[in-house]
């Protein structure tokens, strides 16, 4: 534990010392991963598949707020989808506008959750999303979680039906545009898996936030445990009722891995020393206060001291030793 606390202090001191360089670098890397993932998964418009465009866009995002990264990701997605289906582009644009209105209304600062949610789905660890949102966000972060889930499943529908959508888009004479719109909307909204996951993640994020705000010992660890169990229960019950074809093993083991990652993130965020909890009482003219104070667990990083020995000092020490030897003789 001590070594981990020392490592955390090293990381915090490094970040504090080089913050003006670290923040643009991780923004650049995040934008690169996002744009490369979009081009790799979709790639329907060859004009924006160039690595040069990806690097220039990521470089722009490194010096701008995260909201610019969200906007550019939306532009990349819409351009790729437009290459195969105008109807899907309109539906995706409407989804983005809806997400923007709801998102900016309830959770305007949770851009990171909105960005990494689709990535975590692709990396097969989506169950960490509601835990992280509840631990480090606010109650409104559940809205950002739902928005990220909706965006991922809309893109999954597009990639899974790309050939059919492209063929239908070319057959304008035999099939009306309104009918294609209806099929796309029904395909997205009729996805039971998306609805179950969105509801489960929203409830889990809200519960984790509520539990970690309680005045109990180890509230954050309890929040992770309770949130993980609730997430598993909702997903499996939803699968049982609506036959969404969830993999039980993937849900259980993925949730356990997500809980472990959440504990690691929580440790590096801050760790409380409940063994030194103090309860303080004081009053003023109007109120009497009962305060529970829990100190944060921290260890001072050891300082490295380097002793420099110059050649002049070495020669002086040698001369002194020789002179002392002569005097003794």
């Amino acid at each position: 534990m001590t070594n981990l606390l020392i490592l955390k202090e090293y990381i915090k001191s490094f970040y504090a010392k080089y913050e003006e360089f670290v923040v643009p670098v991780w923004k650049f890397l995040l934008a690169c991963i996002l744009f490369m993932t979009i081009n790799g998964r979709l790639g329907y418009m060859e004009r924006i598949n160039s690595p040069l465009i990806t690097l220039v866009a990521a470089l722009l995002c490194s010096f701008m707020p995260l909201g610019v990264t969200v906007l550019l990701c939306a532009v990349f997605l819409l351009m790729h989808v437009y290459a195969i289906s105008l109807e899907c582009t309109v539906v995706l644009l409407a989804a983005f506008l809806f997400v923007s209105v709801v998102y900016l209304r309830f959770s305007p600062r949770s851009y990171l959750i909105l960005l990494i949610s689709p990535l975590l789905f692709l990396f097969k660890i989506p169950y960490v999303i509601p835990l992280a949102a509840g631990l480090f966000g606010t109650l409104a972060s559940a809205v950002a979680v739902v928005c990220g889930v909706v965006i991922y499943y809309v893109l999954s529908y597009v990639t899974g039906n790309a050939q059919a959508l492209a063929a239908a888009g070319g057959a304008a004479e035999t099939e009306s545009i309104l009918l294609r719109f209806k099929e796309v909307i029904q395909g997205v909204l009729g996805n039971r898996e998306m609805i179950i996951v969105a509801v489960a993640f929203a409830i889990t994020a809200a519960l984790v936030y509520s539990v970690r705000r309680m005045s109990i010992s180890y509230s954050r660890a309890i929040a992770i445990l309770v949130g993980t169990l609730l997430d598993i229960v909702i997903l499996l019950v939803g699968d049982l009722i609506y036959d969404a074809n969830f993999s039980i093993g993937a849900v259980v083991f993925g949730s356990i891995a997500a809980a472990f990652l959440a504990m690691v993130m929580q440790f590096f965020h801050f760790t409380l020393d409940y063994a030194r909890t103090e309860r303080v009482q004081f009053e003023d003219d109007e109120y009497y206060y009962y305060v529970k104070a829990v100190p944060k667990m921290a260890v001072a990083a050891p300082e490295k001291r380097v002793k420099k020995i110059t050649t002049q000092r070495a020669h002086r020490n040698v001369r002194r030793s020789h002179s002392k030897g002569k005097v003794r003789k």
Side-chain angles (χ1 to χ4, degrees):
M1 177 65 75
T2 304
N3 293 331
L4 291 176
L5 290 173
I6 292 174
L7 175 62
K8 184 176 73 170
E9 292 301 323
Y10 276 130
I11 295 174
K12 289 173 61 178
S13 61
F14 179 83
Y15 182 83
K17 187 176 181 180
Y18 301 103
E19 181 179 1
E20 63 271 17
F21 302 105
V22 173
V23 173
V25 167
W26 78 257
K27 284 185 178 180
F28 174 80
L29 294 176
L30 177 62
C32 272
I33 294 172
L34 289 168
F35 297 146
M36 292 173 64
T37 303
I38 292 171
N39 289 337
R41 296 281 296 184
L42 299 177
Y44 303 123
M45 183 173 285
E46 297 181 357
R47 296 179 181 178
I48 59 176
N49 281 340
S50 171
L52 180 61
I53 295 178
T54 301
L55 291 177
V56 171
L59 186 62
L60 176 64
C61 293
S62 63
F63 298 100
M64 302 296 288
L66 285 176
V68 176
T69 306
V70 175
L71 178 61
L72 289 180
C73 286
V75 171
F76 270 65
L77 291 171
L78 289 171
M79 293 178 70
H80 280 301
V81 175
Y82 177 76
I84 61 170
S85 173
L86 176 61
E87 293 80 14
C88 277
T89 306
V90 175
V91 173
L92 186 61
L93 179 60
F96 277 131
L97 292 176
F98 173 77
V99 166
S100 299
V101 172
V102 176
Y103 174 80
L104 293 175
R105 173 66 179 85
F106 293 99
S107 184
R109 296 183 180 180
S110 302
Y111 288 115
L112 190 59
I113 297 175
L114 192 63
L115 287 171
I116 66 173
S117 293
L119 282 180
L120 292 178
F121 272 100
L122 295 177
F123 295 152
K124 307 300 181 182
I125 49 173
Y127 309 105
V128 75
I129 299 171
L131 299 179
L135 284 175
F136 309 113
T138 62
L139 189 60
S141 298
V143 177
V145 172
V146 174
C147 293
V149 171
V150 171
I151 290 173
Y152 168 75
Y153 279 99
V154 170
L155 295 177
S156 296
Y157 174 81
V158 173
T159 56
N161 300 274
Q163 295 181 354
L165 292 172
E173 297 180 357
T174 59
E175 188 173 0
S176 66
I177 297 177
L178 293 177
L179 182 59
R180 293 200 297 270
F181 270 122
K182 182 179 179 181
E183 291 179 353
V184 173
I185 294 173
Q186 287 179 348
V188 173
L189 298 181
N191 191 337
R192 296 178 178 179
E193 181 179 343
M194 179 189 73
I195 297 174
I196 295 171
V197 172
V199 172
F201 282 13
I203 296 175
T204 301
L207 179 66
V208 171
Y209 172 80
S210 300
V211 174
R212 65 103 169 169
R213 296 277 296 175
M214 291 182 178
S215 179
I216 57 176
S217 299
Y218 305 99
S219 60
R220 293 174 179 265
I222 295 173
I224 294 173
L225 177 61
V226 174
T228 302
L229 293 176
L230 179 66
D231 195 27
I232 294 174
V233 170
I234 295 176
L235 291 174
L236 295 183
V237 171
D239 182 34
L240 184 64
I241 296 175
Y242 297 104
D243 193 18
N245 295 322
F246 285 113
S247 173
I248 298 177
V251 171
V252 174
F253 290 108
S255 299
I256 293 173
F260 175 76
L261 291 175
M263 292 293 291
V264 172
M265 290 188 293
Q266 174 56 39
F267 174 81
F268 282 98
H269 179 60
F270 70 81
T271 308
L272 298 179
D273 188 2
Y274 289 99
R276 296 190 293 127
T277 301
E278 297 181 2
R279 298 185 181 275
V280 183
Q281 301 178 13
F282 58 93
E283 61 178 310
D284 58 14
D285 295 336
E286 298 181 356
Y287 294 96
Y288 197 84
Y289 301 92
Y290 296 89
V291 179
K292 179 182 178 181
V294 183
K296 294 181 180 180
M297 189 180 297
V299 175
E303 297 181 359
K304 294 183 179 180
R305 295 182 179 180
V306 180
K307 185 177 182 180
K308 295 182 179 180
I309 302 177
T310 60
T311 55
Q312 294 180 354
R313 290 184 178 180
H315 286 303
R316 290 177 183 176
N317 293 333
V318 171
R319 290 176 182 175
R320 290 177 182 176
S321 62
H322 282 301
S323 62
K324 289 180 179 179
K326 291 180 181 180
V327 170
R328 291 176 181 176
K329 291 181 180 179

